[in-house]
Each structure stands twice: as structure tokens, then as C-alpha cells.
Amino acid sequence: MSGRAGLKCWKYAAAMTLLLASGVATATTKSEQVAEMAPSVRIPTGSLGYVVPNATYLGLRYALTTVDFIDNGHLLFTFHVNRLMQRIPDDGSGDNGQMIHAEVVDIGSGKITQQADWRMRDRNQYLWPLNGGKFLVRQGNSLFLTDEHLQLEPYLTFGTAIEAIQLSPDRKMMLLEIAEAAAPAAKAAHNGPSLLGSGSTADGVQTPSQGNTELILVKPDDKTVVARSESAHLVDLPLTDDGFIGLIEGAQPNQWLLRKNYFKGEPKEFGTVRSTCIPTLEALSETVVLSIHCSANRTLGNHVVTAVSSEKGTLWRDIWSDKYIWPEFDYATDGSRFAYESLAMDHPIGTLDTPGQQDVKAEPVGVFDTETGKLELVEDASPMLSGGHNFALSADGRRFAILRGGAIEIYDLPPVSPAKAKK
């Protein structure tokens, strides 16, 4: 997961609109594109001790539940439990701390093979999947590593708040956004380039060289600091393992150039999109980026999405509705597939709108082929969650898990053509 609220749009399969584009793959309706698929495994969550969070938490965006693959045969299932918590001296979290119960679940038997309780300092995102069945766990300003044994091994600690964590789709690169004055050791150890020193930014807006947030780019495997910078605000950075994707205004009106900014080497421009607003970018794999932008032709809808490959150019386009908010992505680390969810509202939501609990109708989750944009599976998650995540895609893109109808459902997906998967 990205660990941040990025795009404010989504489409539901039944409402897909065909967008004709010469030489570009297009999406079709659910009845034409998505075959009905039954789960291969259903693991009742009642037997795992899971209690559905109160619906009033929906608008607060608390992280209360997660589902992740450890490997294709085991899940890591974590959730909030109501238990007495021992006070921590100088905690400062007030009443916002929580106890998280973590379980390793064997998919074949549905049995719990390992479990532990973790004391959290707040109710923000606390878990990020890494490679090799490892996970990053945040407790306040400290990060820990864990695996199928659920023991928390110290990883990094900062003197001020960890404001955001972002991972590249293959989980080989991580961006830590830390409140100013944190991580002096990381600053001292780094002799490389400034992360945003080139002047190109992820969102097309110039970022000051100094500010309130410390940006530290780290290789998760060995904690090597690759680059660092400072910013006046949080940065939405589409990471890859060797750089990040940025935007540059083109010479023509409403023209935006996609540029790959390498950590080592000169940047490379690889695509163009037309938009009446600043596009939002999401890296889907090491070579494919999704651009969400605004069309001057209002009959097309509010959000046009275009998948662009740094190697093959434009791959596919579609229209996404603005009735969907607070999305999250998950990725196959080989780049073959991605999963995307958000909350479906009963009316379009503007930027300044504050949605209420009564406005939310469903939480659709779709699995897409990265190369073609084909929607291969779509289901509604339940209970609906606005924080944490209640779905997961396996590292090889072959299995999909979703919290749905009182169970964790596991779907086995067909193989992806080797030509589509990034090796």
C-alpha cells in the first residue's frame, strides 16, 4: 500500500465507459469483461476473533484492520481489539492509542499458526508489506520489522513524527517523510544527491528546498540512504527502484510531460498527457505509471486515466467517476497486476466536501491487468474501511484476498502472460 490518500476518484466495473483511442487498449463493461469468479477459500473471521469496527469510525479514517499475504499459503491478519492498555511514560498520545492483535493464518486450513498483541501509540497506518514476507510496523516515531514469527525487531527511530511512508511497487525503495529536525544520523550518513534537487516534482508544483518535512529515501533491505531533501509539505512521490516519476509543463496549453527522474543519471521524458488540471500520478510498476487528469471535453467525465509505459508509450485509457474517494492501491511486485479500491458515494464529491457516513454506499475493489487495463475481478469489501486495508494482492499477482461477508475470501487468478509480467 502507498500509505497516503492520493487520488480522489474511482470507477465501478458496471459503470465503465468505453473510451476510443487509436492503437490504445480500452476497457469495457463488467458483463463483457469480468467473468464471475467464486473464491477458492473462505476463512470465517469469527473463528479468528475478529469484531467488526463500529461504522462511526468510517469518517475518521482510523487504521483498524489489515490483510496481507506473507506468501501464497499464509496471511497476516491484524485488527483492533478492545483491551486494557498499560500506560507508557511520556506517551503523549492521550486516548488515541490502540491494541492491535496480529495473526498468521494458514490459508489451507484456516488455522492461526502464530499470534501476538502490539501496542500502538495512535490509530494511523501502522503496517506496510515489504519483500520476502517481511513487514514494517510503526509504533509512534519508531519503526520495527516483523515476519511470520510476529516479533518486533527495532529498525529505525526518529525524534519527531513519522508523517508518511511510501513504497515503490516492487518494495525496493521507500520514502520516509519525517517532521523537521528528525533523523540527524541519516543526514550525517548521506553524501548523495538531494531527492528533489532537480526542480522536477511529482505533482507539478515546485517544492522549496527547505521546509517542515524531512524527505529520506531508503532501501528497505539494508537501510541505505539513497537521497534526501526537505519540503514545506508532504510529497506524493511515484517511486520506482531507480528513481521517481515527475511532471513538467509542456510548450502547448494543457500539455504535461512525464519525466523519469533517476537517482543516478540524467532524467528521461517518456510520455505526454493533456489535462486542464495538474495530473495525479501513481506508479503501477517499475515501467508503468497511471496518470489521472481532467479532460476539456466534459462529456467524457471528470477524470480521464491513462497508463503510460516508459518503454512502450501509452498502454490504455479509461474514464473514472468522481463518486469514489479515499482510494488505496496494492501491487504484484513483478508488475503484472494491481488492485485498487475506494469508497463509493451516492453522489459526486467535490474537493472541499466532507462526506458523511450515510453517503457511503459500498467499497468496491478491483484487480486489473497492468499492461492492458483489463478488469479481471471486482468485489465489494465488507466491512467498509476508510483506513488500514481490507484486501491484498500476492507478490506474484496470482492470489487475491478480501475481507468480505464475515470471511477472508481468497481468489485464485489465472496466469499472466510472461510478456506482460516484469521480470
Side-chain angles (χ1 to χ4, degrees):
M1 303 292 167
S2 62
R4 65 203 187 284
L7 321 175
K8 289 187 172 66
C9 56
W10 166 247
K11 60 171 181 180
Y12 193 55
M16 283 188 175
T17 304
L18 181 64
L19 176 65
L20 298 177
S22 176
V24 179
T26 59
T28 57
T29 64
K30 180 180 179 181
S31 61
E32 295 172 316
Q33 188 176 15
V34 184
E36 293 296 326
M37 187 180 300
S40 57
V41 177
R42 291 189 90 252
I43 304 172
T45 53
S47 65
L48 304 177
Y50 180 64
V51 177
V52 175
N54 192 300
T56 58
Y57 288 127
L58 194 61
L60 299 176
R61 306 209 64 191
Y62 287 159
L64 304 174
T65 307
T66 68
V67 178
D68 289 283
F69 282 95
I70 297 174
D71 53 42
N72 278 11
H74 298 85
L75 295 171
L76 175 58
F77 184 37
T78 76
F79 51 90
H80 170 92
V81 289
N82 291 318
R83 293 179 186 170
L84 291 175
M85 295 185 294
Q86 183 177 0
R87 286 192 175 275
I88 300 175
D90 302 322
D91 183 8
S93 63
D95 296 328
N96 207 35
Q98 64 172 332
M99 188 68 72
I100 292 294
H101 187 66
E103 299 174 344
V104 175
V105 182
D106 180 83
I107 294 176
S109 66
K111 303 297 184 182
I112 300 170
T113 63
Q114 193 69 257
Q115 55 187 319
D117 289 323
W118 298 334
R119 169 71 154 85
M120 300 304 174
R121 305 294 184 90
D122 53 48
R123 301 193 180 190
N124 298 326
Q125 185 171 355
Y126 56 83
L127 186 75
W128 291 261
L130 302 177
N131 286 324
K134 294 183 179 181
F135 298 84
L136 192 69
V137 178
R138 184 187 63 82
Q139 290 181 327
N141 300 341
S142 296
L143 298 175
F144 300 83
L145 288 181
T146 195
D147 54 19
E148 73 274 12
H149 302 295
L150 302 184
Q151 296 177 356
L152 299 181
E153 301 293 336
Y155 184 72
L156 289 171
T157 296
F158 300 94
T160 56
I162 301 172
E163 298 181 322
I165 296 176
Q166 301 176 42
L167 287 162
S168 61
D170 66 0
R171 303 167 188 168
K172 293 181 180 179
M173 200 64 67
M174 176 172 64
L175 179 65
L176 302 174
E177 304 192 44
I178 313 298
E180 189 178 26
K187 288 185 180 182
H190 172 62
N191 297 313
S194 174
L195 179 58
L196 299 179
S198 65
S200 174
T201 66
D203 57 8
V205 179
Q206 199 74 11
T207 301
S209 59
Q210 294 183 348
N212 301 320
T213 300
E214 178 83 11
L215 308 178
I216 307 172
L217 192 72
V218 179
K219 292 183 178 180
D221 289 346
D222 58 10
K223 296 187 286 188
T224 299
V225 177
V226 176
R228 61 163 298 274
S229 187
E230 295 179 351
S231 174
H233 53 76
L234 295 181
V235 175
D236 190 6
L237 204 65
L239 288 174
T240 65
D241 63 357
D242 58 356
F244 67 93
I245 309 301
L247 285 170
I248 300 176
E249 289 192 66
Q252 301 178 18
N254 300 327
Q255 182 186 60
W256 300 88
L257 307 180
L258 298 172
R259 185 167 80 166
K260 177 70 173 289
N261 299 278
Y262 293 95
F263 301 131
K264 295 182 179 180
E266 295 298 317
K268 169 189 173 183
E269 294 176 10
F270 65 90
T272 302
V273 294
R274 291 194 173 275
S275 176
T276 57
C277 63
I278 298 176
T280 299
L281 303 181
E282 183 76 25
L284 301 180
S285 72
E286 292 309 293
T287 59
V288 180
V289 63
L290 191 68
S291 172
I292 293 84
H293 42 276
C294 307
S295 172
N297 182 357
R298 302 307 295 173
T299 61
L300 291 179
N302 298 76
H303 300 281
V304 179
V305 296
T306 304
V308 184
S309 167
S310 59
E311 298 175 348
K312 302 179 182 179
T314 300
L315 299 176
W316 50 272
R317 295 191 180 101
D318 206 347
I319 305 295
W320 288 9
S321 169
D322 57 1
K323 291 184 180 180
Y324 300 88
I325 65 169
W326 300 340
E328 290 288 343
F329 285 83
D330 199 10
Y331 321 90
T333 56
D334 64 1
S336 58
R337 290 184 169 114
F338 69 95
Y340 179 41
E341 68 79 33
S342 80
L343 298 180
M345 314 301 287
D346 63 358
H347 62 279
I349 299 295
T351 304
L352 301 179
D353 292 342
T354 302
Q357 175 188 338
Q358 69 281 359
D359 300 322
V360 183
K361 298 305 177 185
E363 185 182 4
V365 186
V367 178
F368 295 80
D369 184 300
T370 302
E371 180 115 343
T372 66
K374 177 184 177 183
L375 181 62
E376 300 182 333
L377 172 69
V378 62
E379 297 291 348
D380 283 339
S382 62
M384 295 183 291
L385 300 175
S386 58
H389 52 271
N390 48 9
F391 71 100
L393 194 61
S394 64
D396 62 3
R398 292 296 306 276
R399 301 198 101 173
F400 174 71
I402 184 170
L403 194 60
R404 184 169 182 266
I408 301 176
E409 295 185 343
I410 309 295
Y411 292 82
D412 290 314
L413 302 171
V416 175
S417 169
K420 297 177 182 177
K422 181 181 181 294
K423 300 300 184 182

